[in-house]
Amino acid sequence: VCINVDNVLSSCSSSRRYKDNIQSMSGGLNLISRLTPVTFDWKESRVSDLGLIAEEVAEVEPLLVTHNKTGAIEGVKYDQLSVVLINAVKEQQEQIKALQQQIKEQKAEIEAFRELVCSQNPTAKICLK
């Protein structure tokens, strides 16, 4: 069971047949890095908890909050954060691949430099392995 955009309980469906104007979402690491997790106590129950402040989330990504009947920000769509996290993980994987390629290239450059040094000075410390 989900709460739809009208704040009404409805069934949760992810099928393409219920969607129009489908576009790739680009938010990921940048969006996540702008969210600020907090700890707090609920006013009514005094129970300690953790989460996000909905008004702050709305400043970062309005699609991640719910509104009440008067239009005031009411809550965070915590279940939708997983979609953003998917993009963040994908972005990090691309960063890791790029770094791995850089390391591979640097190792090749170091090896070429070592070979050059050793060809001219075979007794250099770098050549004595």
Side-chain angles (χ1 to χ4, degrees):
V1 176
C2 294
I3 296 177
N4 66 18
V5 294
D6 298 318
N7 279 335
V8 176
L9 288 178
S10 65
S11 62
C12 301
S13 178
S14 294
S15 176
R16 175 183 295 277
R17 65 184 182 274
Y18 299 111
K19 301 172 183 178
D20 288 325
N21 194 26
I22 299 170
Q23 300 174 26
S24 293
M25 188 190 132
S26 60
L29 286 174
N30 182 42
L31 195 153
I32 292 295
S33 69
R34 293 170 39 216
L35 297 177
T36 306
V38 296
T39 60
F40 58 91
D41 295 333
W42 289 104
K43 288 182 178 181
E44 189 174 306
S45 66
R46 304 308 306 159
V47 172
S48 296
D49 208 344
L50 56 95
L52 300 166
I53 304 299
E55 292 80 359
E56 293 176 5
V57 173
E59 292 175 13
V60 174
E61 177 50 73
L63 291 173
L64 288 174
V65 298
T66 60
H67 298 82
N68 63 22
K69 290 179 183 180
T70 65
I73 294 170
E74 190 67 31
V76 175
K77 297 178 183 175
Y78 285 100
D79 56 324
Q80 299 296 60
L81 286 174
S82 60
V83 174
V84 179
L85 291 170
I86 290 169
N87 271 357
V89 169
K90 290 167 75 173
E91 288 175 24
Q92 284 186 330
Q93 289 303 307
E94 289 302 316
Q95 290 174 351
I96 290 168
K97 287 179 189 175
L99 288 172
Q100 287 173 330
Q101 182 60 33
Q102 287 176 350
I103 290 169
K104 183 178 177 181
E105 291 169 4
Q106 288 175 344
K107 284 182 176 180
E109 288 174 5
I110 290 168
E111 183 57 28
F113 178 71
R114 189 186 72 73
E115 288 176 9
L116 176 65
V117 167
C118 293
S119 70
Q120 296 177 4
N121 186 1
T123 59
K125 185 176 179 181
I126 194 172
C127 307
L128 302 173
K129 312 192 211 181

